[in-house]
Amino acid sequence: MSLIRRRKQNETSRPTRSDPSSIDKEDDNKKKIPAKDQNAEEIALKKLRKWSCIDSCCWLIGSICVTWWFLLFLYNAIPASFNQYVTEAITGPVPDPPGVKLKKEGLTVKHPVVFVPGIVTGGLELWEGHQCAEGLFRKRLWGGTFGEVYKRPLCWVEHMSLDNETGLDPSGIRVRPVSGLVAADYFAPGYFVWAVLIANLARIGYEEKTMSMAAYDWRISFQNTEVRDQTLSRIKSNIELMVATNGGNKAVIIPHSMGVLYFLHFMKWVEAPAPMGGGGGPDWCAKHIKTVMNIGGPFLGVPKAVGGLFSAEAKDIAVISVRLSEVRLCSYASSSYKYRATAPGFLDNDIFRLQTLQHVMRMTRTWDSTMSMLPKGGDTIWGGLDWSPEEGYTPSKRKQRNNDTQIANEDESEVVASQRKHVNFGRIISFGKDIAEAPSSQIDMIDFRGAVKGNSVANNTCRDVWTEYHEMGYEGIKAVAEYKAYTAESILDLLHFVAPKLMARGSAHFSYGIADNLDDPKYRHYKYWSNPLETTLPNAPDMEIFSMYGVGIPTERAYVYKLTPSADCYIPFQIDTSADDDDTPLKDGVYAVDGDETVPVLSAGFMCAKGWRGKTRFNPSGIRTYLREYEHSPPANLLEGRGTQSGAHVDIMGNFQLIEDIIRVAAGARGEDLGGDQVHSDIFKMSEKINLQL
């Protein structure tokens, strides 16, 4: 206690700042301090007060953490109905989800449902890898958070690539598809693919025993999924089991995107005799499949597959990557031609010792499945140098048509169709805007097919990231540019010239022509099974086939290219983003037509509009076909997320009208019960311009 008293006495005895005498004493003491020491003390005080870079970083990190925890608190504190409340306050009452609406109408489970995902939307996980992949056993390399792209990008590229000779696993690496509904319900956290459809089916009683995901490794060729993983056999057994355990009710199959081509291949495989086929017999589909509801099907291919393989450029061969900009190595799939044009040093040169586009091209050129989406049918389908089925297209107000009627008010643009500037959509690649617009008679085309490839354009240090351009040399590159304009038929020759290994593998698994005689025994080979112009539909007259896709979004159809400046490890061809024309649908070097942002209407709709309509040589049993087009309507505000009326290639999976159509069919309805065709585009006009023997 005495110590405490003494301390208090000492404290009280100290002079205060309010005491004038104490201030004078302090000033006298300061005067006694030498000038040098006083300056040193002032400098030290200034240093202590100075805001450093570390202080800024700590402040920023602290602010982010506080903001994150605050938002997390709000997320958990705000009722789940808050978003709906705000949305209704802005836009009016929100309609019930389709599952809720149809449950009120009394719809329940009837037919088992099988989902077939498309390219890039299915998860892939690691089962065996090299030392750099330590700790990644059964972790997702594709889908999920894509964390390994940041942590070990070169290792990720190595494990996502396939063998360039066989198109199968490289030595010591096994990457396999994720199984179950989780394989493709979400592509990444918060980015749904099948999740909304699954949730709405569940509302009328569906569960895992009545719906399943036909997951497969979307990188490898369709037949190789059976050779390596027996995926086709598993799908066959699963459908048979689901039909048997659901009272004999046939299955409703719902493929999306490239999954449409994969299931087309499956229907031929399952009926073909072993060992090439599944040995199910010619009536297997008739016994087990009620309806095939194809969503966004690239039946006749997509032009953007050409851009992706030719120069690693396309807006969204994987549409998902447009939304997920953090997946840097997939930048080729998210408007990469814009970034490459505006910041060539960012993509074409080293990014932390990683030549991004070159690695992407090397990786994707080992994925044989990408070749399944090259344009099919040649110039007969896609047009030649001076014509195309989409002639006269301009973005315009639509009219709706059904099977037998047409709304009377014709589009104003048809009145002035003769005044439109002619667009040569058939020239899928043109070297220069002037070549894209010139009459074919004025184009001096020098054939590249016999050109001698010169010496390597890149030094040996590039071989680890280079594709097949290093074998072309300057002479080969020059020859490609001097041919000037490429149509659907010459595109195949072009790819054989610039990517011979890729096309050698592709030619063994896929075909792109039109069959003269479908009775020819050669068409029994699996390479023709995914091309609807070189194979026939099953003998299943009671089965129905839908083509369901979005319209009203500019979709890539043709490209204006240029040669890029010479440099080590560069990609010699690039979309010319300076090419624009206000009088035509040309923007940033890309000619656009109507579609769903990925698949043009021509590819998605032609087979159901004409090729398979009625009894044709491609549809000998007369399977009923229906077109269901969904007009794109973007979300009204951010709270609507990706919208409930979207027609975009992936976002359409959350389209309420499409989901309602699917649920009604799964519950027992047929195409006529839905109202038959629902058409907004000019697909019937386009089809009439195509002279195809039926």
Side-chain angles (χ1 to χ4, degrees):
M1 292 296 290
S2 61
L3 290 172
I4 296 174
R5 289 193 192 100
R6 287 174 189 166
R7 192 172 296 167
K8 286 183 177 179
Q9 288 173 0
N10 292 335
E11 288 174 358
T12 55
S13 64
R14 289 175 185 170
T16 61
R17 296 295 294 174
S18 60
D19 186 357
S21 62
S22 66
I23 295 173
D24 293 338
K25 289 179 182 178
E26 286 182 9
D27 292 339
D28 292 339
N29 291 335
K30 285 183 179 179
K31 289 177 182 178
K32 294 177 183 178
I33 299 173
K36 290 183 178 180
D37 295 343
Q38 192 171 349
N39 291 336
E41 186 179 349
E42 290 177 358
I43 292 170
L45 288 171
K46 286 181 180 179
K47 286 183 178 179
L48 288 173
R49 292 169 187 162
K50 188 176 180 181
W51 189 267
S52 67
C53 179
I54 295 175
D55 295 326
S56 300
C57 291
C58 292
W59 182 87
L60 178 62
I61 293 170
S63 300
I64 292 173
C65 291
V66 170
T67 304
W68 169 256
W69 286 110
F70 178 70
L71 292 174
L72 189 63
F73 169 77
L74 289 179
Y75 178 80
N76 289 286
I78 294 175
S81 59
F82 179 75
N83 283 355
Q84 182 177 349
Y85 172 78
V86 175
T87 302
E88 288 182 356
I90 297 172
T91 63
V94 176
D96 285 336
V100 174
K101 172 186 174 182
L102 297 179
K103 184 179 180 180
K104 292 177 180 177
E105 293 182 15
L107 272 65
T108 58
V109 178
K110 184 173 183 182
H111 296 278
V113 171
V114 179
F115 311 118
V116 187
I119 191 170
V120 311
T121 55
L124 299 174
E125 60 188 17
L126 183 69
W127 281 80
E128 180 185 1
H130 294 161
Q131 188 174 0
C132 67
E134 186 79 24
L136 296 181
F137 176 67
R138 294 204 64 198
K139 298 287 181 64
R140 288 201 183 196
L141 292 187
W142 189 270
T145 62
F146 284 93
E148 299 310 316
V149 179
Y150 295 112
K151 296 176 184 177
R152 28 192 156 185
L154 289 175
C155 183
W156 182 83
V157 168
E158 179 184 7
H159 285 75
M160 283 298 298
S161 299
L162 297 169
D163 186 276
N164 203 31
E165 301 292 337
T166 65
L168 295 171
D169 294 322
S171 176
I173 294 176
R174 282 186 295 146
V175 175
R176 297 293 181 264
V178 177
S179 59
L181 294 177
V182 296
D185 55 351
Y186 288 91
F187 177 71
Y191 193 92
F192 71 82
V193 182
W194 294 90
V196 177
L197 177 56
I198 291 171
N200 278 278
L201 283 165
R203 290 182 183 276
I204 68 165
Y206 276 87
E207 51 188 290
E208 285 203 87
K209 68 181 181 181
T210 48
M211 57 180 170
S212 71
M213 186 75 66
Y216 61 99
D217 190 337
W218 44 262
R219 300 172 302 160
I220 63 180
S221 68
F222 302 158
Q223 190 68 11
N224 273 344
T225 63
E226 173 66 16
V227 172
R228 195 193 71 178
D229 301 333
Q230 293 76 54
T231 303
L232 298 174
S233 294
R234 293 171 187 270
I235 295 173
K236 174 177 179 284
S237 299
N238 190 44
I239 292 175
E240 291 172 344
L241 177 64
M242 293 179 77
V243 170
T245 56
N246 282 277
N249 290 318
K250 300 177 186 178
V252 172
I253 314 297
I254 309 173
H256 173 246
S257 190
M258 192 186 75
V260 169
L261 303 179
Y262 186 69
F263 195 76
L264 196 62
H265 179 98
F266 171 84
M267 288 194 292
K268 294 302 294 183
W269 172 88
V270 74
E271 294 186 342
M276 187 181 295
D283 59 349
W284 189 94
C285 290
K287 290 179 178 178
H288 295 91
I289 300 175
K290 171 187 183 287
T291 307
V292 182
M293 307 189 79
N294 301 292
I295 304 174
F299 288 103
L300 303 178
V302 289
K304 68 170 49 181
V306 175
L309 293 173
F310 184 54
S311 62
E313 295 177 288
K315 278 188 177 179
D316 50 2
I317 281 182
V319 174
I320 309 286
S321 300
V322 175
R323 317 293 191 206
L324 302 170
S325 59
E326 70 265 27
V327 186
R328 301 288 174 82
L329 282 173
C330 295
S331 58
Y332 82 102
S334 61
S335 302
S336 65
Y337 61 87
K338 290 185 181 179
Y339 294 122
R340 189 175 168 205
T342 57
F346 181 74
L347 289 181
D348 284 332
N349 297 330
D350 272 359
I351 305 176
F352 305 109
R353 297 183 181 179
L354 179 68
Q355 290 88 4
T356 309
L357 281 179
Q358 288 85 335
H359 277 289
V360 167
M361 178 177 279
R362 186 190 68 170
M363 178 178 69
T364 56
R365 280 193 177 183
T366 66
W367 298 350
D368 290 352
S369 62
T370 57
M371 288 175 283
S372 70
M373 295 190 292
L374 289 174
K376 301 176 178 70
D379 295 357
T380 301
I381 298 294
W382 294 94
L385 291 173
D386 294 314
W387 82 278
S388 69
E390 297 99 335
E391 277 182 357
Y393 165 78
T394 55
S396 59
K397 187 178 178 181
R398 299 185 180 282
K399 48 193 176 295
Q400 182 174 343
R401 294 184 289 274
N402 55 28
N403 286 341
D404 307 308
T405 63
Q406 181 171 314
I407 292 180
N409 56 327
E410 292 295 328
D411 203 66
E412 291 182 4
S413 59
E414 292 185 6
V415 179
V416 294
S418 60
Q419 301 175 10
R420 294 174 184 156
K421 189 174 180 180
H422 180 73
V423 179
N424 300 304
F425 291 115
R427 303 176 193 180
I428 296 179
I429 288 180
S430 301
F431 277 90
K433 182 184 174 185
D434 55 334
I435 298 297
E437 297 175 345
S440 60
S441 59
Q442 298 178 12
I443 302 176
D444 184 17
M445 302 170 69
I446 302 175
D447 200 342
F448 66 93
R449 296 174 181 87
V452 177
K453 296 182 180 181
N455 295 323
S456 173
V457 299
N459 61 43
N460 290 330
T461 62
C462 298
R463 293 299 179 103
D464 61 332
V465 296
W466 206 228
T467 56
E468 294 175 87
Y469 282 127
H470 69 275
E471 299 175 1
M472 290 180 60
Y474 295 112
E475 294 301 320
I477 292 169
K478 182 181 176 183
V480 168
E482 287 181 343
Y483 192 71
K484 296 183 176 64
Y486 295 83
T487 64
E489 288 181 2
S490 54
I491 282 291
L492 297 176
D493 294 330
L494 169 65
L495 292 175
H496 273 287
F497 186 76
V498 303
K501 289 182 181 179
L502 171 84
M503 295 304 291
R505 295 195 320 272
S507 299
H509 290 276
F510 303 104
S511 183
Y512 311 99
I514 301 174
D516 294 325
N517 178 14
L518 286 166
D519 294 327
D520 191 324
K522 77 173 185 178
Y523 292 111
R524 298 172 190 167
H525 192 273
Y526 60 75
K527 68 181 287 184
Y528 301 102
W529 291 348
S530 61
N531 182 358
L533 300 173
E534 293 183 302
T535 190
T536 59
L537 290 176
N539 182 22
D542 294 331
M543 195 170 85
E544 293 183 329
I545 294 179
F546 287 77
S547 185
M548 315 168 80
Y549 53 91
V551 294
I553 308 178
T555 303
E556 294 169 54
R557 177 61 167 86
Y559 305 93
V560 176
Y561 267 86
K562 66 179 181 179
L563 288 174
T564 57
S566 176
D568 286 347
C569 305
Y570 78 115
I571 295 175
F573 309 110
Q574 179 181 338
I575 294 174
D576 185 1
T577 57
S578 66
D580 286 293
D581 193 336
D582 294 335
D583 296 327
T584 66
L586 172 64
K587 184 178 181 182
D588 296 326
V590 179
Y591 284 100
V593 293
D594 194 10
D596 68 359
E597 199 174 41
T598 294
V599 183
V601 165
L602 176 64
S603 179
F606 173 78
M607 291 309 298
C608 283
K610 184 174 181 179
W612 290 333
R613 185 61 55 116
K615 281 192 176 184
T616 69
R617 66 190 184 107
F618 305 109
N619 181 16
S621 66
I623 294 173
R624 292 293 302 270
T625 63
Y626 298 97
L627 287 168
R628 301 289 291 180
E629 295 184 345
Y630 302 88
E631 183 81 57
H632 175 69
S633 179
N637 55 70
L638 292 175
L639 293 174
E640 288 189 15
R642 288 151 63 194
T644 59
Q645 300 178 62
S646 176
H649 188 64
V650 177
D651 294 354
I652 196 173
M653 303 294 282
N655 185 299
F656 276 13
Q657 187 182 357
L658 176 138
I659 292 172
E660 181 175 332
D661 288 346
I662 290 174
I663 294 177
R664 288 189 183 279
V665 171
R670 298 186 66 83
E672 292 180 353
D673 300 325
L674 301 184
D677 292 335
Q678 174 181 276
V679 179
H680 300 278
S681 72
D682 288 325
I683 182 59
F684 289 117
K685 281 187 176 181
M686 296 180 203
S687 300
E688 288 304 314
K689 295 178 183 178
I690 295 173
N691 185 20
L692 179 68
Q693 178 190 349
L694 298 176

